């Protein structure tokens, strides 16, 4: 069953989680394609909140801590999506309620609606904020820069593609009007 939880309770929707996985898979494909064989298993465990051997989400576990680009990419993608979702929520709070807003809210609750992060048009400063947040979250990762660069490229491509397909939507308009 597809989850239709709204963003008001701070939970990620199924569409948000799928966006996280898609962004991270693209990053892993660019930065460490040899890890793609384990990607689905690691991403499912990550989204269920399981940590390898109860350890840091960036570790594989065992006697040695082995950081996989997959784990780093998943943490980076989740951080980026959550930050940008907060931007969508902030923009929505500031905007007066109109008939169009109510329609968009109904569309967002539909099971197959895309994540608002994927449909919004982001300003350069939004993406700089994502870069700053990722730099802080991934400070100890040796793969930090290639993962951040690949994630931002995939995020920009994802949002540009969704905006082109939909012709822009209220989430994008809200983000652009901030």
């Amino acid at each position: 069953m597809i989850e239709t939880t709204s963003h008001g309770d701070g939970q990620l929707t199924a569409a948000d989680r799928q966006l996280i996985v898609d962004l991270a898979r693209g990053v892993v494909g660019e930065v460490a394609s040899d890890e793609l064989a384990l990607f689905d298993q690691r991403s499912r465990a990550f989204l269920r909140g399981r940590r390898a051997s109860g350890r840091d989400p960036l570790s594989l576990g065992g006697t040695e801590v082995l950081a996989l680009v997959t784990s780093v990419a998943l943490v980076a993608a989740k951080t980026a999506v959550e930050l940008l979702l907060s931007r969508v929520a902030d923009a929505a709070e500031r905007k007066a309620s109109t008939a169009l807003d109510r329609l968009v809210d109904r569309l967002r609750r539909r099971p197959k609606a895309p994540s608002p992060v994927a449909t919004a048009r982001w300003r350069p400063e939004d993406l700089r904020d994502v870069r700053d947040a990722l730099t802080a979250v991934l400070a100890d990762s040796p793969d930090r820069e290639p993962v951040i660069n690949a994630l931002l490229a995939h995020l920009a491509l994802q949002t540009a593609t969704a905006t082109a397909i939909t012709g822009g939507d209220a989430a994008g308009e809200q983000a652009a009007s901030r």
Side-chain angles (χ1 to χ4, degrees), residues 42-164:
R42 295 287 295 170
S43 65
R44 282 191 303 272
F46 176 83
L47 291 173
R48 284 191 304 261
R50 292 193 181 148
R51 308 288 193 257
S53 302
R55 298 175 188 251
D56 183 328
L58 298 181
S59 72
L60 182 60
T63 57
E64 292 184 37
V65 176
L66 174 62
L68 294 175
V69 171
T70 297
S71 297
V72 173
L74 286 162
V75 168
K78 184 174 187 268
T79 300
V81 168
E82 287 175 340
L83 178 95
L84 294 172
L85 280 170
S86 72
R87 296 288 171 96
V88 169
D90 290 346
E93 283 179 26
R94 289 191 301 267
K95 191 165 183 143
S97 180
T98 64
L100 180 58
D101 291 334
R102 288 187 299 276
L103 174 62
V104 170
D105 287 342
R106 278 191 304 233
L107 292 174
R108 277 197 190 136
R109 286 190 289 271
R110 287 187 183 166
K112 296 195 181 211
S115 169
V117 171
T119 58
R121 286 180 257 150
W122 302 108
R123 301 175 303 172
E125 51 267 30
D126 293 321
L127 296 178
R128 277 193 299 274
D129 290 346
V130 169
R131 175 178 287 283
D132 292 345
L134 296 178
T135 299
V137 168
L138 304 176
D140 296 330
S141 172
D143 300 306
R144 178 181 66 207
E145 286 305 313
V147 167
I148 291 171
N149 291 337
L151 180 77
L152 287 172
H154 282 271
L155 184 60
L157 181 62
Q158 175 82 25
T159 59
T161 301
T163 301

